[in-house]
Amino acid sequence: MEIQSLDLREQRCPMALLLAKRACALLGQGQQLALYVTDNGALKDIPRYLESNGFVFERRRLHDATVFNVTKL
């Protein structure tokens, strides 16, 4: 299964959060999405959104960005 990705490195909150929400809403059960984030506000808000909406995610650091590997249950 191919993992989709969304590069939000140029986006600041609240736009980064809005785009992440839209992309996550399009995921089907079991699908995955990699979110690339640099904004400090988004680094706090995106995990909070994911946790409260039933997504499972893993966070890792990759060069200049944090990557959230999101799975929809």
Side-chain angles (χ1 to χ4, degrees):
M1 179 184 293
E2 184 178 328
I3 298 176
Q4 301 173 29
S5 65
L6 179 61
D7 187 349
L8 299 171
R9 289 179 277 200
E10 298 295 320
Q11 302 297 326
R12 303 291 170 247
C13 236
M15 185 56 76
L17 177 60
L18 174 65
L19 293 172
K21 284 181 178 182
R22 285 183 180 172
C24 288
L26 297 175
L27 292 176
Q29 185 177 6
Q31 286 187 308
Q32 295 182 316
L33 172 67
L35 300 171
Y36 293 80
V37 181
T38 56
D39 180 64
N40 287 333
L43 289 171
K44 294 176 185 171
D45 292 343
I46 289 174
R48 194 174 312 141
Y49 165 76
L50 295 171
E51 288 171 349
S52 66
N53 286 279
F55 293 94
V56 174
F57 68 95
E58 176 184 293
R59 178 191 325 227
R60 64 185 168 94
R61 187 79 178 143
L62 180 67
H63 304 291
D64 64 337
T66 298
V67 181
F68 293 100
N69 291 319
V70 181
T71 305
K72 183 172 185 175
L73 297 178

